[in-house]
Amino acid sequence: MSGTVIFRPRFSLQLKGMVIKMKLRAKKFLALILCVALTIFSSANVLADEKSTNSNQQQIGITAKSDAFPNAYIEVENGTTVAARDGTVQLQNATVTVYYEQTYGKDAEGNTIITDSRLLTEEEVNAIGKENFETGMPSLTREVSNEKGKLQIRMDGSYSLSGNSLSSFFSAMGNWSGAGLPASDYPAAGDDVAGFSWGGNLSSSNFSARGEYNDNSSATVTYGTGSPNAARAWYFSETSGLKHIKNVYFNIELSKANLTGGGNTTSLIFTYIHTFSTFDASANISANGAGITISGASSWWPLSVELYGIPY
């Protein structure tokens, strides 16, 4: 024989072509599956990293206490914390609520005076019922009257980091509710005092305060004293004629050009001092790194709200 001729059926060649095409498609499909899996894995890692970063940034909140009444019932709501990608951290609607009782009586000349003012315990608040503190619960007799109400402090603010510098803005609002007696029956009003103190040697560039009476008219809030890198304090009268204080507002900007805390944080403390006897605060306020204090007042109590987690 001159040679051997091998005959390959046509369908065999077609089958081989189909197998090759199927393998190519399988490879493309596997590549697509791998690409999708890598995308999902990468997204999960980004989200995890973002969540971790935000969690580290969001260590900001509030606590509260009253040194005069360590057993006082103090409701604390930390509000909402929002951390943005640009390093800005915001705290919104953080509130502290305390419940008080003031006892009225008569002095030797027949004038109405406050004989006692105190913050109530949780047991006392529950026994009275929180709903009774909204509009006041006066109990009048010929010689004495008790007034029950609540004081709420709300704090908002934000800070932003740029390189190694800090800029921030914080506000505090004090709201009285439940005043059960007309202002004309109040004793000679003593000034109330409020202000901020802080650590970390932050600078206070801008600050302001204002107030409102129960008829929504403006109340004068006067700057008292302070230290640019430690504290600012104001004072105001609780009454004016037949009007009594309802809201007071305080704002402050804090900044630092070069952070020195090494990743640690400091606190901003808002202190509200309620006096219930004749008291002129104009020359009797101390505001420094140790906090806000007064002298020369015989009857008063403080409420302090600490906003923690500020880089310095």
Short mmCIF file of all heavy atoms in Angstrom, two decimals, residues 236-259:
data_model
loop_
_atom_site.label_atom_id
_atom_site.label_comp_id
_atom_site.label_asym_id
_atom_site.label_seq_id
_atom_site.Cartn_x
_atom_site.Cartn_y
_atom_site.Cartn_z
N PHE A 236 -28.09 85.12 85.41
CA PHE A 236 -29.35 85.72 84.99
C PHE A 236 -30.35 85.63 86.14
O PHE A 236 -30.23 84.77 87.02
CB PHE A 236 -29.91 85.00 83.76
CG PHE A 236 -30.01 83.51 83.92
CD1 PHE A 236 -31.18 82.91 84.35
CD2 PHE A 236 -28.91 82.70 83.64
CE1 PHE A 236 -31.26 81.53 84.51
CE2 PHE A 236 -28.97 81.33 83.79
CZ PHE A 236 -30.15 80.75 84.22
N SER A 237 -31.31 86.52 86.12
CA SER A 237 -32.35 86.52 87.15
C SER A 237 -33.45 85.54 86.77
O SER A 237 -33.83 85.44 85.60
CB SER A 237 -32.94 87.92 87.32
OG SER A 237 -34.01 87.90 88.24
N GLU A 238 -33.96 84.84 87.75
CA GLU A 238 -35.03 83.87 87.49
C GLU A 238 -36.37 84.54 87.20
O GLU A 238 -37.24 83.93 86.58
CB GLU A 238 -35.20 82.95 88.70
CG GLU A 238 -34.02 82.02 88.94
CD GLU A 238 -34.30 81.14 90.15
OE1 GLU A 238 -35.08 80.19 90.02
OE2 GLU A 238 -33.72 81.41 91.22
N THR A 239 -36.55 85.76 87.67
CA THR A 239 -37.84 86.42 87.52
C THR A 239 -37.66 87.86 87.05
O THR A 239 -36.61 88.46 87.20
CB THR A 239 -38.62 86.45 88.85
OG1 THR A 239 -37.88 87.22 89.81
CG2 THR A 239 -38.85 85.05 89.38
N SER A 240 -38.73 88.37 86.45
CA SER A 240 -38.80 89.78 86.08
C SER A 240 -40.26 90.18 86.16
O SER A 240 -41.07 89.82 85.30
CB SER A 240 -38.26 90.00 84.66
OG SER A 240 -38.41 91.35 84.26
N GLY A 241 -40.61 90.92 87.22
CA GLY A 241 -42.02 91.25 87.44
C GLY A 241 -42.82 89.98 87.66
O GLY A 241 -42.54 89.21 88.57
N LEU A 242 -43.81 89.76 86.80
CA LEU A 242 -44.65 88.56 86.92
C LEU A 242 -44.14 87.41 86.04
O LEU A 242 -44.78 86.37 85.98
CB LEU A 242 -46.10 88.89 86.53
CG LEU A 242 -46.80 89.95 87.40
CD1 LEU A 242 -48.22 90.18 86.89
CD2 LEU A 242 -46.81 89.54 88.86
N LYS A 243 -43.00 87.60 85.41
CA LYS A 243 -42.47 86.58 84.51
C LYS A 243 -41.40 85.75 85.20
O LYS A 243 -40.70 86.23 86.09
CB LYS A 243 -41.88 87.24 83.26
CG LYS A 243 -42.90 88.04 82.46
CD LYS A 243 -42.28 88.64 81.22
CE LYS A 243 -41.27 89.72 81.54
NZ LYS A 243 -40.78 90.40 80.30
N HIS A 244 -41.26 84.48 84.79
CA HIS A 244 -40.19 83.64 85.30
C HIS A 244 -39.45 82.98 84.14
O HIS A 244 -40.01 82.79 83.06
CB HIS A 244 -40.71 82.59 86.29
CG HIS A 244 -41.71 81.64 85.71
ND1 HIS A 244 -43.06 81.89 85.75
CD2 HIS A 244 -41.56 80.46 85.06
CE1 HIS A 244 -43.71 80.89 85.17
NE2 HIS A 244 -42.82 80.02 84.74
N ILE A 245 -38.21 82.63 84.38
CA ILE A 245 -37.37 82.09 83.32
C ILE A 245 -37.90 80.74 82.84
O ILE A 245 -38.38 79.92 83.63
CB ILE A 245 -35.89 81.97 83.82
CG1 ILE A 245 -34.92 81.95 82.64
CG2 ILE A 245 -35.71 80.72 84.67
CD1 ILE A 245 -34.74 83.29 82.00
N LYS A 246 -37.84 80.55 81.54
CA LYS A 246 -38.28 79.28 80.95
C LYS A 246 -37.12 78.57 80.24
O LYS A 246 -36.86 77.40 80.48
CB LYS A 246 -39.42 79.52 79.97
CG LYS A 246 -39.94 78.24 79.31
CD LYS A 246 -41.07 78.54 78.34
CE LYS A 246 -41.60 77.27 77.68
NZ LYS A 246 -42.69 77.57 76.72
N ASN A 247 -36.43 79.28 79.34
CA ASN A 247 -35.32 78.70 78.59
C ASN A 247 -34.09 79.59 78.66
O ASN A 247 -34.21 80.82 78.60
CB ASN A 247 -35.69 78.51 77.11
CG ASN A 247 -36.84 77.55 76.91
OD1 ASN A 247 -36.87 76.47 77.50
ND2 ASN A 247 -37.79 77.92 76.08
N VAL A 248 -32.93 78.97 78.75
CA VAL A 248 -31.67 79.69 78.62
C VAL A 248 -30.79 78.91 77.64
O VAL A 248 -30.77 77.67 77.65
CB VAL A 248 -30.95 79.87 79.97
CG1 VAL A 248 -31.56 81.01 80.76
CG2 VAL A 248 -30.97 78.59 80.80
N TYR A 249 -30.06 79.65 76.80
CA TYR A 249 -29.27 79.04 75.73
C TYR A 249 -27.82 79.52 75.83
O TYR A 249 -27.57 80.71 76.02
CB TYR A 249 -29.83 79.43 74.36
CG TYR A 249 -31.29 79.12 74.16
CD1 TYR A 249 -32.27 80.04 74.52
CD2 TYR A 249 -31.70 77.91 73.59
CE1 TYR A 249 -33.62 79.77 74.32
CE2 TYR A 249 -33.05 77.64 73.38
CZ TYR A 249 -34.01 78.56 73.76
OH TYR A 249 -35.33 78.30 73.57
N PHE A 250 -26.89 78.59 75.65
CA PHE A 250 -25.47 78.90 75.74
C PHE A 250 -24.73 78.24 74.58
O PHE A 250 -24.95 77.06 74.29
CB PHE A 250 -24.89 78.41 77.07
CG PHE A 250 -25.63 78.92 78.28
CD1 PHE A 250 -26.72 78.21 78.78
CD2 PHE A 250 -25.27 80.11 78.89
CE1 PHE A 250 -27.43 78.69 79.88
CE2 PHE A 250 -25.97 80.59 79.98
CZ PHE A 250 -27.05 79.88 80.49
N ASN A 251 -23.86 79.01 73.93
CA ASN A 251 -23.08 78.50 72.80
C ASN A 251 -21.60 78.80 73.00
O ASN A 251 -21.24 79.85 73.55
CB ASN A 251 -23.54 79.16 71.49
CG ASN A 251 -25.01 78.96 71.21
OD1 ASN A 251 -25.50 77.84 71.27
ND2 ASN A 251 -25.72 80.03 70.92
N ILE A 252 -20.75 77.90 72.51
CA ILE A 252 -19.32 78.13 72.61
C ILE A 252 -18.59 77.40 71.49
O ILE A 252 -19.00 76.30 71.08
CB ILE A 252 -18.78 77.68 73.99
CG1 ILE A 252 -17.37 78.22 74.22
CG2 ILE A 252 -18.81 76.15 74.13
CD1 ILE A 252 -16.92 78.14 75.66
N GLU A 253 -17.55 78.05 70.97
CA GLU A 253 -16.66 77.43 69.99
C GLU A 253 -15.32 77.16 70.66
O GLU A 253 -14.75 78.04 71.30
CB GLU A 253 -16.47 78.35 68.78
CG GLU A 253 -17.73 78.57 67.96
CD GLU A 253 -17.49 79.46 66.76
OE1 GLU A 253 -16.30 79.63 66.38
OE2 GLU A 253 -18.46 79.99 66.21
N LEU A 254 -14.81 75.95 70.49
CA LEU A 254 -13.52 75.56 71.04
C LEU A 254 -12.61 75.10 69.91
O LEU A 254 -13.07 74.45 68.96
CB LEU A 254 -13.68 74.43 72.07
CG LEU A 254 -14.55 74.74 73.30
CD1 LEU A 254 -14.67 73.48 74.16
CD2 LEU A 254 -13.98 75.88 74.11
N SER A 255 -11.33 75.43 70.03
CA SER A 255 -10.41 75.05 68.96
C SER A 255 -9.00 74.85 69.53
O SER A 255 -8.69 75.27 70.64
CB SER A 255 -10.37 76.12 67.87
OG SER A 255 -9.92 77.36 68.40
N LYS A 256 -8.18 74.18 68.72
CA LYS A 256 -6.77 73.99 69.07
C LYS A 256 -6.00 73.77 67.78
O LYS A 256 -6.35 72.91 66.97
CB LYS A 256 -6.60 72.81 70.02
CG LYS A 256 -5.23 72.77 70.69
CD LYS A 256 -5.19 71.73 71.80
CE LYS A 256 -3.89 71.80 72.57
NZ LYS A 256 -3.86 70.80 73.69
N ALA A 257 -4.96 74.58 67.58
CA ALA A 257 -4.21 74.52 66.33
C ALA A 257 -3.33 73.29 66.22
O ALA A 257 -3.11 72.77 65.12
CB ALA A 257 -3.37 75.79 66.17
N ASN A 258 -2.86 72.81 67.36
CA ASN A 258 -1.96 71.66 67.34
C ASN A 258 -2.31 70.73 68.50
O ASN A 258 -2.04 71.05 69.66
CB ASN A 258 -0.50 72.13 67.47
CG ASN A 258 0.48 70.98 67.31
OD1 ASN A 258 0.20 69.99 66.62
ND2 ASN A 258 1.64 71.10 67.95
N LEU A 259 -2.93 69.61 68.18
CA LEU A 259 -3.35 68.68 69.22
C LEU A 259 -2.15 68.08 69.94
O LEU A 259 -1.15 67.73 69.31
CB LEU A 259 -4.22 67.57 68.61
CG LEU A 259 -5.52 68.00 67.92
CD1 LEU A 259 -6.27 66.79 67.42
CD2 LEU A 259 -6.39 68.82 68.85
#
